[in-house]
Amino acid sequence: MDKIIMTKLDEEIYHEVLENGLDVYLYKKEGFAKKGAYFVTKYGSATNDFKPIGEDKIVSFPKGIAHFLEHKLFESEDNERVFEKFKTNGASVNAYTNHFITNYFFKTIDNFEECLNELLNFVQSPYFTDENVEKEKGIINQEINMTDDNIQRYIFEKMFDLALNENPNKYKTIGDKENVSKITKEDLYKCYNTFYHPSNMVLVMYGDVDVLKTFDLIRKNQASKKFENPEEIEVKEFNEEDEVCTKYLEVKRNVSTPRVSICYKFKEKKRTGVDRFKRNLFYNVLLDMKFGGTSSFEKDLVKDCVIKTGLSLNYSYFDDVALIIFEADALDKEKFIELIDKKLREDNFDESIFELDRKALLTSMVKCFENPSDFANVILNSVAKHGKVINNAYDIYENYKFEEFKESFKWLNFDNKSVLYVEGKEE
């Protein structure tokens, strides 16, 4: 076991890579009652084309299968309900799948060790049958219907579809009914055996727990199970074009006020580690300066009757692509598009505003240590996205210079964008 010291923050993370390859982290925080753990596989909905373990060619799997697999791991061979086991221990358990990872997690105040054992055991005990797979398809289809009725989620996912060409982040995490209908028990085992090997997984724990006792529990749990030797995972690579897939689309949905969403697409070089972390910092500072608390832009849009209420802003960065998505109830569609575009292209940056936003982001980063579960999330996302814990994050924020920011801005191309116009259905 070693320690990762967070520079200038007087915080430390206990870390060990087990013999089977499992990457384990513990953020001990004394005096906090809540404890928990995240058990993560670096496998999400964007990974559908890969070479299954033991096979010699890349196979295309149904879209949505990572999310389907997440559902099925809560079902056990002995018919004992995983949720009930955690509830008996005074804990809650859940999971989610996004484009990049699948995360199984629990939180509790008591019985941390029992819950940790249970988390490791149910995730590492797949049980798929033809019958339970077919039964799950109906449940997933109901969930698809519900997400289709959620207008915010529909617009967000639709913007990925409009902006991306080949990149698999284009597709919805949950999949669609046609793809879900194709999923088989054999498919699930192939995906599980490829991506749920401990060497492709991360365990992050937090709270006021006994460090030595906890790591000993994990070692014993993993030593009691048999895993094949890890193989290198081969995933199909996609060459994403600079241009968006679809520049403009109009659709009719159940909305009282027309909605407009604009997605700007920026082609990036593939970055890892600190380089990727710093690129994220650039985009965060950029969006804070233009649309954050120091800007009156959103209030002006409402005051001038360009939008009805607030402005929604989302930012995603993956592979070699960054997407910035705006959405609002638009009273004047063309003016909204024009003003967003104008605001993004402005390069008359104020260094004093840059410093305010940089310091605000630094403060926000430091504050996440106040909540152990928040910082555990930072750890798992850092390892999943950057390949390691960025332990000098404070220095990176503190030393980020205005000139470096302005130089990065010069390379952005604002000509590649998709627009979605959502009208209400006629009665």
Side-chain angles (χ1 to χ4, degrees):
M1 185 195 312
D2 60 355
K3 286 184 183 179
I4 300 172
I5 307 299
M6 300 300 293
T7 307
K8 296 185 179 178
L9 294 170
D10 195 28
E11 300 284 354
E12 55 189 27
I13 305 162
Y14 295 89
H15 173 238
E16 182 174 334
V17 179
L18 304 189
E19 289 186 7
N20 63 14
L22 180 61
D23 203 7
V24 183
Y25 300 83
L26 170 58
Y27 178 50
K28 179 177 173 64
K29 196 72 170 175
E30 294 183 356
F32 280 79
K34 288 186 179 179
K35 312 168 185 69
Y38 302 103
F39 197 16
V40 178
T41 175
K42 290 179 269 187
Y43 169 55
S45 64
T47 306
N48 291 306
D49 300 86
F50 59 90
K51 186 186 293 184
I53 295 299
E55 299 190 18
D56 58 3
K57 64 180 181 179
I58 288 179
V59 177
S60 294
F61 287 85
K63 295 173 181 62
I65 194 168
H67 171 260
F68 197 108
L69 179 52
E70 172 218 310
H71 273 231
K72 292 315 302 170
L73 284 183
F74 282 89
E75 190 160 349
S76 62
E77 186 172 5
D78 56 13
N79 289 322
E80 291 190 33
R81 292 180 58 81
V82 171
F83 291 98
E84 292 301 321
K85 289 182 179 180
F86 281 89
K87 188 176 180 180
T88 300
N89 282 309
S92 62
V93 64
N94 215 326
Y96 66 81
T97 303
N98 62 28
H99 285 118
F100 317 107
I101 63 170
T102 306
N103 183 11
Y104 303 83
F105 57 94
F106 75 86
K107 54 185 176 181
T108 190
I109 294 177
D110 301 311
N111 303 312
F112 173 79
E113 293 173 10
E114 291 87 346
C115 292
L116 180 58
N117 248 325
E118 185 55 40
L119 178 71
L120 294 169
N121 289 340
F122 91 78
V123 174
Q124 293 182 325
S125 305
Y127 175 63
F128 313 134
T129 67
D130 293 328
E131 292 75 20
N132 70 25
V133 169
E134 286 305 311
K135 178 183 176 183
E136 196 67 35
K137 291 178 182 180
I139 297 170
I140 299 292
N141 284 337
Q142 290 178 7
E143 190 175 342
I144 290 172
N145 291 336
M146 292 172 60
T147 58
D148 284 346
D149 291 337
N150 183 318
I151 190 64
Q152 286 86 3
R153 180 164 176 174
Y154 167 79
I155 291 174
F156 180 72
E157 292 175 337
K158 194 65 178 177
M159 296 317 295
F160 275 67
D161 179 42
L162 297 182
L164 300 174
N165 294 278
E166 298 295 327
N167 190 292
N169 288 279
K170 176 182 181 73
Y171 305 106
K172 297 192 295 184
T173 297
I174 198 171
D176 55 60
K177 292 180 180 180
E178 180 181 357
N179 273 278
V180 167
S181 69
K182 299 175 183 176
I183 294 174
T184 67
K185 171 187 69 179
E186 290 74 22
D187 289 336
L188 292 173
Y189 274 116
K190 286 181 180 181
C191 294
Y192 183 90
N193 292 334
T194 301
F195 293 103
Y196 280 73
H197 190 281
S199 62
N200 192 53
M201 301 187 75
V202 181
L203 176 63
V204 182
M205 300 161 291
Y206 62 89
D208 192 355
V209 300
D210 186 301
V211 176
L212 295 178
K213 194 174 180 181
T214 299
F215 273 86
D216 189 50
L217 180 156
I218 297 165
R219 292 187 204 102
K220 288 179 179 177
N221 178 287
Q222 295 299 280
S224 70
K225 301 170 183 175
K226 179 177 175 56
F227 300 98
E228 300 295 328
N229 291 329
E231 296 182 24
E232 185 176 349
I233 299 173
E234 184 178 340
V235 176
K236 181 178 179 180
E237 293 193 4
F238 294 87
N239 265 327
E240 181 60 26
E241 298 175 20
D242 292 354
E243 298 286 334
V244 296
C245 178
T246 303
K247 291 186 176 182
Y248 184 81
L249 179 68
E250 291 187 5
V251 298
K252 293 184 183 294
R253 308 287 290 188
N254 288 322
V255 295
S256 55
T257 304
R259 301 180 90 141
V260 177
S261 186
I262 313 166
C263 178
Y264 286 84
K265 175 183 178 181
F266 305 101
K267 189 72 184 299
E268 294 273 353
K269 71 174 186 179
K270 289 193 176 181
R271 304 168 192 264
T272 58
V274 171
D275 189 30
R276 178 170 173 147
F277 183 85
K278 288 186 71 174
R279 193 59 175 171
N280 266 313
L281 175 57
F282 160 71
Y283 278 112
N284 283 321
V285 172
L286 173 67
L287 296 175
D288 254 24
M289 289 184 72
K290 289 184 175 289
F291 306 100
T294 57
S295 168
S296 65
F297 181 77
E298 180 180 352
K299 292 179 181 177
D300 291 341
L301 289 180
V302 176
K303 182 186 70 175
D304 296 338
C305 297
V306 177
I307 64 175
K308 186 176 180 181
T309 52
L311 175 68
S312 173
L313 171 61
N314 282 287
Y315 156 67
S316 295
Y317 178 30
F318 46 84
D319 300 331
D320 57 351
V321 176
L323 300 179
I324 299 176
I325 302 174
F326 301 90
E327 181 202 340
D329 290 333
L331 302 174
D332 187 334
K333 175 182 67 171
E334 299 304 328
K335 195 68 175 175
F336 176 63
I337 296 170
E338 174 193 334
L339 291 175
I340 290 286
D341 205 64
K342 180 182 177 183
K343 185 67 175 177
L344 278 174
R345 292 175 188 271
E346 289 175 354
D347 61 356
N348 53 336
F349 296 106
D350 185 326
E351 186 169 3
S352 63
I353 299 298
F354 167 84
E355 287 299 325
L356 282 173
D357 283 302
R358 182 189 62 78
K359 289 176 181 177
L361 287 167
L362 176 58
T363 300
S364 179
M365 186 269 289
V366 172
K367 283 188 70 175
C368 78
F369 288 92
E370 297 175 3
N371 188 327
S373 64
D374 287 349
F375 184 60
N377 256 305
V378 171
I379 294 171
L380 76 87
N381 280 299
S382 184
V383 174
K385 293 180 180 179
H386 308 301
K388 63 177 182 178
V389 174
I390 307 297
N391 68 313
N392 61 333
Y394 190 100
D395 287 335
I396 294 173
Y397 276 80
E398 192 173 47
N399 297 319
Y400 189 50
K401 303 301 183 186
F402 185 52
E403 292 304 318
E404 183 180 354
F405 168 80
K406 290 196 297 182
E407 189 63 30
S408 296
F409 180 78
K410 290 178 183 178
W411 296 100
L412 294 183
N413 178 3
F414 296 102
D415 293 332
N416 295 322
K417 68 176 183 285
S418 298
V419 175
L420 175 66
Y421 182 56
V422 184
E423 292 183 284
K425 292 181 179 179
E426 294 180 5
E427 305 221 357

